[in-house]
């Protein structure tokens, strides 16, 4: 992803009203974008593929693949980048969500360490989206 592409998804220009004492004026301001990211994995033999939703976390869009792989590594679910076969945004019916779900396909002979992932990895945020089980 080019830096300009990253800027397009990570910031947004909005019209605000600036108040100074008893005067107000309209102007454009730049805000950071924050959206939920769902991380999913699939593993096992091709004919018996297991799919699991691992986490929903809030993030500024941009480096979603790195975030997903780093999360899986730091939580001990994978042991190295060699455990990963493919990483991509999933296709969904909802065009708004198409870049908010990352699928990580693991290599066929790797079994992820999921004992700690049975707890819900829902990162808290003030928006109220995270922490929900659905």
């Amino acid at each position: 992803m080019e830096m300009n592409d990253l800027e397009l998804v990570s910031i947004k220009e909005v019209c605000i009203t600036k108040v100074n004492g008893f005067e107000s004026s309209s102007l454009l301001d730049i805000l950071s974008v924050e959206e939920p990211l769902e991380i999913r994995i699939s593993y096992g033999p091709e004919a018996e593929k297991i799919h699991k939703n691992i986490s929903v976390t809030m993030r500024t869009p941009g480096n979603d693949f790195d975030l997903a792989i780093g999360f899986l590594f730091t939580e001990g679910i994978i042991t190295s980048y060699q455990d990963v076969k493919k990483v991509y945004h999933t296709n969904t019916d909802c065009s708004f969500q198409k870049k908010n779900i990352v699928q990580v396909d693991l290599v066929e002979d790797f079994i992820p360490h999921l004992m700690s992932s049975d707890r819900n990895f829902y990162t808290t945020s003030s928006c109220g989206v995270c922490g929900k089980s659905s």
Side-chain angles (χ1 to χ4, degrees), residues 7-15 29-33:
E7 289 175 3
L8 290 176
V9 296
S10 64
I11 60 173
K12 183 177 184 178
E13 241 181 35
V14 295
C15 186
D29 200 359
I30 297 173
L31 302 178
S32 293
V33 172

Side-chain angles (χ1 to χ4, degrees), residues 89-102:
H89 285 108
T90 62
N91 295 329
T92 64
D93 295 333
C94 178
S95 63
F96 176 74
Q97 293 297 331
K98 68 182 177 184
K99 297 292 185 182
N100 288 340
I101 302 171
V102 169

